[in-house]
Protein backbone atom coordinates (compact mmCIF):
# COMPACT_ATOMS: atom_id res chain seq x y z
CA UNK A 1 0.00 0.00 0.00
CA UNK A 2 2.79 2.41 0.95
CA UNK A 3 4.72 1.50 -2.19
CA UNK A 4 1.64 2.20 -4.30
CA UNK A 5 1.15 5.61 -2.68
CA UNK A 6 4.81 6.59 -3.13
CA UNK A 7 5.02 5.29 -6.69
CA UNK A 8 4.28 8.67 -8.26
CA UNK A 9 7.11 10.34 -6.30
CA UNK A 10 9.67 7.61 -6.90
CA UNK A 11 8.94 7.31 -10.61
CA UNK A 12 8.59 10.94 -11.69
CA UNK A 13 11.00 13.79 -11.03
CA UNK A 14 8.41 16.53 -11.48
CA UNK A 15 6.33 15.01 -8.66
CA UNK A 16 9.35 15.02 -6.36
CA UNK A 17 10.10 18.64 -7.23
CA UNK A 18 6.48 19.60 -6.59
CA UNK A 19 6.51 17.86 -3.21
CA UNK A 20 9.78 19.50 -2.13
CA UNK A 21 8.45 22.92 -3.18
CA UNK A 22 5.24 22.43 -1.19
CA UNK A 23 7.07 21.17 1.90
CA UNK A 24 9.47 24.12 1.82
CA UNK A 25 6.58 26.55 1.37
CA UNK A 26 4.67 24.91 4.25
CA UNK A 27 7.66 25.53 6.52
CA UNK A 28 7.49 29.28 5.98
CA UNK A 29 3.88 30.23 5.20
CA UNK A 30 2.13 28.33 8.01
CA UNK A 31 3.95 30.14 10.89
CA UNK A 32 3.06 33.44 9.22
CA UNK A 33 -0.54 32.25 9.05
CA UNK A 34 -0.46 31.57 12.81
CA UNK A 35 0.73 35.11 13.54
CA UNK A 36 -1.88 36.57 11.19
CA UNK A 37 -4.50 34.57 13.10
CA UNK A 38 -3.23 35.82 16.47
CA UNK A 39 -3.31 39.41 15.20
CA UNK A 40 -6.91 38.95 14.00
CA UNK A 41 -5.67 39.61 10.46
CA UNK A 42 -6.67 36.32 8.86
CA UNK A 43 -8.22 37.97 5.82
CA UNK A 44 -5.25 40.31 5.31
CA UNK A 45 -3.34 37.41 3.80
CA UNK A 46 -6.10 36.97 1.24
CA UNK A 47 -6.03 40.69 0.47
CA UNK A 48 -2.26 40.69 -0.03
CA UNK A 49 -2.44 37.59 -2.23
CA UNK A 50 -4.62 39.60 -4.61
CA UNK A 51 -2.49 42.71 -4.23
CA UNK A 52 0.62 41.07 -5.70
CA UNK A 53 -1.13 40.34 -9.00
CA UNK A 54 -0.54 43.74 -10.69
CA UNK A 55 3.19 43.52 -9.98
CA UNK A 56 3.32 39.95 -11.24
CA UNK A 57 1.42 41.07 -14.35
CA UNK A 58 3.85 43.95 -15.00
CA UNK A 59 6.78 41.55 -14.68
CA UNK A 60 5.02 39.21 -17.08
CA UNK A 61 4.41 42.00 -19.61
CA UNK A 62 8.06 43.10 -19.47
CA UNK A 63 9.83 39.74 -19.38
CA UNK A 64 7.32 37.01 -20.15
CA UNK A 65 7.22 34.04 -17.76
CA UNK A 66 10.37 35.15 -15.94
CA UNK A 67 10.25 34.06 -12.30
CA UNK A 68 12.65 36.80 -11.18
CA UNK A 69 10.79 39.63 -12.93
CA UNK A 70 7.33 38.47 -11.81
CA UNK A 71 8.56 37.81 -8.28
CA UNK A 72 10.15 41.25 -7.94
CA UNK A 73 7.07 42.94 -9.38
CA UNK A 74 4.74 41.02 -7.09
CA UNK A 75 6.81 41.85 -4.00
CA UNK A 76 6.90 45.57 -4.81
CA UNK A 77 3.15 45.69 -5.56
CA UNK A 78 2.16 43.73 -2.44
CA UNK A 79 4.41 45.78 -0.17
CA UNK A 80 3.14 49.02 -1.70
CA UNK A 81 -0.48 48.02 -1.07
CA UNK A 82 0.35 47.03 2.52
CA UNK A 83 2.08 50.35 3.20
CA UNK A 84 -0.66 52.38 1.52
CA UNK A 85 -3.38 50.59 3.48
CA UNK A 86 -1.51 51.22 6.73
CA UNK A 87 -0.99 54.87 5.86
CA UNK A 88 -4.66 55.42 4.97
CA UNK A 89 -5.80 53.82 8.25
CA UNK A 90 -3.36 56.03 10.21
CA UNK A 91 -4.53 59.35 8.68
CA UNK A 92 -8.25 58.55 8.51
CA UNK A 93 -10.80 56.85 10.73
CA UNK A 94 -10.91 53.77 8.50
CA UNK A 95 -9.78 50.47 10.02
CA UNK A 96 -6.81 48.76 8.38
CA UNK A 97 -8.91 45.87 7.10
CA UNK A 98 -11.21 48.33 5.31
CA UNK A 99 -8.22 50.00 3.65
CA UNK A 100 -6.87 46.62 2.56
CA UNK A 101 -10.25 45.71 1.07
CA UNK A 102 -10.35 48.88 -1.00
CA UNK A 103 -6.80 48.48 -2.33
CA UNK A 104 -6.80 44.74 -2.97
CA UNK A 105 -10.04 44.76 -4.99
CA UNK A 106 -8.65 47.43 -7.27
CA UNK A 107 -5.32 45.59 -7.47
CA UNK A 108 -6.98 42.34 -8.49
CA UNK A 109 -8.94 44.06 -11.27
CA UNK A 110 -5.86 45.93 -12.46
CA UNK A 111 -3.81 42.73 -12.54
CA UNK A 112 -6.40 40.88 -14.63
CA UNK A 113 -6.56 43.79 -17.08
CA UNK A 114 -2.76 43.95 -17.40
CA UNK A 115 -2.45 40.21 -18.06
CA UNK A 116 -5.20 40.38 -20.69
CA UNK A 117 -3.24 43.04 -22.63
CA UNK A 118 -0.73 40.41 -23.74
CA UNK A 119 -1.69 37.04 -22.40
CA UNK A 120 -4.34 34.44 -22.97
CA UNK A 121 -6.77 32.78 -20.60
CA UNK A 122 -4.16 30.06 -20.01
CA UNK A 123 -1.61 32.66 -18.84
CA UNK A 124 -4.15 34.22 -16.48
CA UNK A 125 -5.06 30.83 -15.01
CA UNK A 126 -1.36 30.10 -14.50
CA UNK A 127 -0.91 33.30 -12.48
CA UNK A 128 -4.11 32.87 -10.47
CA UNK A 129 -3.90 29.16 -9.74
CA UNK A 130 -0.25 28.29 -10.32
CA UNK A 131 1.39 25.44 -12.18
CA UNK A 132 2.60 23.14 -9.43
CA UNK A 133 3.54 20.17 -11.60
CA UNK A 134 5.73 22.41 -13.79
CA UNK A 135 8.07 23.50 -10.97
CA UNK A 136 11.68 23.59 -12.17
CA UNK A 137 15.04 23.86 -10.43
CA UNK A 138 15.03 27.67 -10.55
CA UNK A 139 11.65 27.83 -8.81
CA UNK A 140 12.85 25.36 -6.17
CA UNK A 141 15.91 27.49 -5.40
CA UNK A 142 13.75 30.63 -5.27
CA UNK A 143 11.27 29.05 -2.84
CA UNK A 144 14.10 27.60 -0.76
CA UNK A 145 15.74 31.02 -0.39
CA UNK A 146 12.45 32.66 0.62
CA UNK A 147 11.67 29.90 3.15
CA UNK A 148 15.16 30.13 4.66
CA UNK A 149 15.03 33.93 4.98
CA UNK A 150 11.58 33.72 6.55
CA UNK A 151 12.55 31.11 9.12
CA UNK A 152 15.74 32.99 10.05
CA UNK A 153 13.81 36.26 10.45
CA UNK A 154 11.12 34.61 12.57
CA UNK A 155 13.75 32.93 14.73
CA UNK A 156 15.75 36.12 15.29
CA UNK A 157 12.71 38.35 15.80
CA UNK A 158 10.44 35.82 17.51
CA UNK A 159 10.09 37.66 20.82
CA UNK A 160 9.50 41.02 19.17
CA UNK A 161 6.89 39.61 16.76
CA UNK A 162 5.08 37.82 19.60
CA UNK A 163 5.16 40.96 21.75
CA UNK A 164 3.80 43.07 18.89
CA UNK A 165 0.99 40.56 18.34
CA UNK A 166 -0.04 40.31 22.00
CA UNK A 167 1.04 43.54 23.73
CA UNK A 168 1.70 46.42 21.37
CA UNK A 169 1.41 48.94 24.24
CA UNK A 170 4.49 47.47 25.92
CA UNK A 171 6.57 48.03 22.79
CA UNK A 172 5.20 51.54 22.31
CA UNK A 173 6.28 52.47 25.84
CA UNK A 174 9.83 51.39 25.09
CA UNK A 175 9.98 52.93 21.60
CA UNK A 176 7.10 54.58 19.79
CA UNK A 177 8.28 53.49 16.33
CA UNK A 178 9.18 49.87 17.16
CA UNK A 179 5.66 48.40 16.64
CA UNK A 180 5.37 50.01 13.20
CA UNK A 181 8.75 48.66 12.13
CA UNK A 182 7.91 45.15 13.33
CA UNK A 183 4.50 45.32 11.66
CA UNK A 184 6.06 46.46 8.37
CA UNK A 185 8.69 43.69 8.55
CA UNK A 186 6.01 41.10 9.22
CA UNK A 187 3.87 42.24 6.30
CA UNK A 188 6.97 42.18 4.07
CA UNK A 189 7.50 38.53 5.05
CA UNK A 190 3.87 37.74 4.21
CA UNK A 191 4.15 39.41 0.80
CA UNK A 192 7.48 37.69 0.10
CA UNK A 193 6.00 34.26 0.81
CA UNK A 194 2.89 34.94 -1.25
CA UNK A 195 5.18 35.85 -4.13
CA UNK A 196 7.10 32.59 -3.61
CA UNK A 197 3.85 30.65 -3.57
CA UNK A 198 2.31 32.13 -6.70
CA UNK A 199 4.63 30.07 -8.90
CA UNK A 200 3.31 26.74 -7.58
CA UNK A 201 -0.13 27.46 -6.11
CA UNK A 202 -1.03 30.77 -7.76
CA UNK A 203 -1.95 34.05 -6.13
CA UNK A 204 -5.39 32.73 -5.10
CA UNK A 205 -4.41 29.33 -3.63
CA UNK A 206 -1.28 30.22 -1.65
CA UNK A 207 -3.24 31.91 1.10
CA UNK A 208 -5.15 28.64 1.62
CA UNK A 209 -1.93 26.84 2.57
CA UNK A 210 -1.03 29.82 4.76
CA UNK A 211 -4.23 30.12 6.79
CA UNK A 212 -6.06 26.77 6.88
CA UNK A 213 -3.34 24.80 8.75
CA UNK A 214 -2.91 27.72 11.15
CA UNK A 215 -6.61 27.83 12.00
CA UNK A 216 -6.74 24.04 12.31
CA UNK A 217 -3.74 24.03 14.67
CA UNK A 218 -5.37 26.69 16.87
CA UNK A 219 -8.25 24.29 17.53
CA UNK A 220 -5.86 21.81 19.19
CA UNK A 221 -3.78 23.97 21.54
CA UNK A 222 -3.41 27.27 23.37
CA UNK A 223 0.40 27.18 23.47
CA UNK A 224 2.07 29.14 20.69
CA UNK A 225 5.07 26.80 20.08
CA UNK A 226 2.72 23.81 19.78
CA UNK A 227 0.38 25.74 17.47
CA UNK A 228 3.32 26.67 15.22
CA UNK A 229 4.55 23.07 15.09
CA UNK A 230 1.07 21.67 14.41
CA UNK A 231 0.45 24.23 11.66
CA UNK A 232 3.66 23.21 9.88
CA UNK A 233 2.85 19.50 10.20
CA UNK A 234 -0.71 19.99 8.95
CA UNK A 235 0.57 22.06 6.02
CA UNK A 236 3.11 19.40 5.08
CA UNK A 237 0.58 16.58 5.43
CA UNK A 238 -1.90 18.52 3.29
CA UNK A 239 0.77 19.02 0.63
CA UNK A 240 1.66 15.32 0.46
CA UNK A 241 -1.92 14.03 0.58
CA UNK A 242 -3.16 16.68 -1.87
CA UNK A 243 -0.41 15.93 -4.39
CA UNK A 244 -1.06 12.20 -4.14
CA UNK A 245 -4.78 12.77 -4.55
CA UNK A 246 -4.25 14.99 -7.58
CA UNK A 247 -2.04 12.37 -9.25
CA UNK A 248 -4.36 9.41 -8.84
CA UNK A 249 -7.61 11.29 -9.46
CA UNK A 250 -6.30 13.59 -12.25
CA UNK A 251 -7.39 16.83 -10.59
CA UNK A 252 -5.46 20.16 -10.33
CA UNK A 253 -2.69 19.87 -7.74
CA UNK A 254 -3.04 23.30 -6.09
CA UNK A 255 -6.77 23.08 -5.39
CA UNK A 256 -6.30 19.46 -4.22
CA UNK A 257 -3.80 20.61 -1.59
CA UNK A 258 -6.06 23.43 -0.40
CA UNK A 259 -9.08 21.09 -0.30
CA UNK A 260 -7.05 18.66 1.82
CA UNK A 261 -6.12 21.50 4.16
CA UNK A 262 -9.82 22.45 4.28
CA UNK A 263 -10.65 18.89 5.35
CA UNK A 264 -8.07 19.18 8.11
CA UNK A 265 -9.67 22.46 9.14
CA UNK A 266 -13.15 20.88 9.32
CA UNK A 267 -11.87 17.91 11.36
CA UNK A 268 -10.13 20.30 13.76
CA UNK A 269 -13.21 22.49 14.12
CA UNK A 270 -15.23 19.41 15.09
CA UNK A 271 -12.77 17.41 17.19
CA UNK A 272 -10.10 19.87 18.36
CA UNK A 273 -9.39 19.50 22.09
CA UNK A 274 -9.13 23.27 22.60
CA UNK A 275 -11.56 24.98 20.24
CA UNK A 276 -13.41 22.03 18.74
CA UNK A 277 -17.20 21.99 18.63
CA UNK A 278 -17.57 18.67 20.43
CA UNK A 279 -15.17 19.75 23.18
CA UNK A 280 -16.98 23.05 23.75
CA UNK A 281 -20.35 21.26 23.77
CA UNK A 282 -19.05 18.73 26.30
CA UNK A 283 -17.76 21.54 28.55
CA UNK A 284 -21.13 23.30 28.43
CA UNK A 285 -23.03 20.11 29.28
CA UNK A 286 -20.59 19.24 32.05
CA UNK A 287 -20.72 22.78 33.44
Amino acid sequence: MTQHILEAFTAFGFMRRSLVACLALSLSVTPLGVFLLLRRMSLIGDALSHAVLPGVAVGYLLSGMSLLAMGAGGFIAGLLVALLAGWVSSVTTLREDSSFAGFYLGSLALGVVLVSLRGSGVDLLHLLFGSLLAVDRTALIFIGIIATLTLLTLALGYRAIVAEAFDMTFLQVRNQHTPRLIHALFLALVVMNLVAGFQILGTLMTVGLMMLPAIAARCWSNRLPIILLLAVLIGMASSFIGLTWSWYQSIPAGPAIVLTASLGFLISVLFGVEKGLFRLTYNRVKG
Side-chain angles (χ1 to χ4, degrees):
M1 181 66 177
T2 303
Q3 183 179 359
H4 181 66
I5 292 174
L6 297 178
E7 181 182 356
F9 300 102
T10 57
F12 300 99
F14 69 89
M15 287 294 289
R16 291 194 295 273
R17 289 191 295 271
S18 299
L19 180 60
V20 171
C22 286
L23 294 180
L25 194 63
S26 297
L27 271 174
S28 59
V29 298
T30 50
L32 295 176
V34 170
F35 284 112
L36 283 172
L37 179 65
L38 295 176
R39 294 161 178 255
R40 299 174 185 251
M41 296 172 62
S42 299
L43 294 179
I44 298 300
D46 184 55
L48 287 175
S49 71
H50 293 75
V52 304
L53 186 59
V56 171
V58 170
Y60 169 73
L61 290 175
L62 295 176
S63 304
M65 298 302 290
S66 167
L67 180 60
L68 180 61
M70 291 191 296
F75 179 76
I76 293 171
L79 192 59
L80 182 62
V81 167
L83 294 175
L84 284 174
W87 176 75
V88 169
S89 64
S90 66
V91 298
T92 67
T93 57
L94 284 175
R95 291 172 57 89
E96 191 172 25
D97 58 344
S98 301
S99 301
F100 268 108
F103 281 109
Y104 99 77
L105 290 170
S107 298
L108 177 62
L110 177 61
V112 172
V113 170
L114 288 175
V115 173
S116 67
L117 293 178
R118 173 178 171 180
S120 63
V122 175
D123 297 320
L124 180 59
L125 288 176
H126 173 80
L127 295 180
L128 292 177
F129 299 104
S131 184
L132 179 54
L133 299 183
V135 172
D136 56 13
R137 189 169 182 268
T138 303
L140 276 180
I141 294 173
F142 179 69
I143 294 169
I145 292 173
I146 297 298
T148 302
L149 288 175
T150 301
L151 291 175
L152 286 175
T153 304
L154 289 177
L156 294 173
Y158 178 78
R159 296 187 66 179
I161 293 173
V162 172
E164 197 267 337
F166 286 102
D167 193 0
M168 188 181 297
T169 305
F170 172 74
L171 289 178
Q172 287 177 331
V173 170
R174 299 187 63 181
N175 189 321
Q176 185 178 0
H177 300 291
T178 299
R180 293 181 181 178
L181 292 175
I182 296 173
H183 188 66
L185 174 63
F186 177 75
L187 289 179
L189 287 177
V190 173
V191 172
M192 190 166 62
N193 278 269
L194 290 172
V195 169
F198 94 86
Q199 173 71 10
I200 59 175
L201 296 177
T203 59
L204 298 184
M205 292 286 106
T206 303
V207 71
L209 187 60
M210 178 180 286
M211 295 309 308
L212 288 169
I215 301 170
R218 181 65 183 90
C219 294
W220 294 96
S221 178
N222 263 334
R223 298 179 57 191
L224 182 57
I226 294 178
I227 295 173
L228 290 170
L229 177 60
L230 285 175
V232 171
L233 292 177
I234 293 171
M236 287 184 162
S238 299
S239 298
F240 176 75
I241 296 172
L243 269 174
T244 306
W245 180 24
S246 74
W247 173 257
Y248 287 106
Q249 297 298 321
S250 299
I251 59 177
I257 291 173
V258 175
L259 280 175
T260 305
S262 299
L263 180 60
F265 159 74
L266 291 174
I267 293 173
S268 300
V269 167
L270 291 176
F271 302 106
V273 297
E274 189 61 44
K275 298 287 187 180
L277 177 62
F278 290 162
R279 178 68 176 181
L280 294 175
T281 304
Y282 173 77
N283 289 338
R284 291 194 191 100
V285 173
K286 185 178 178 180

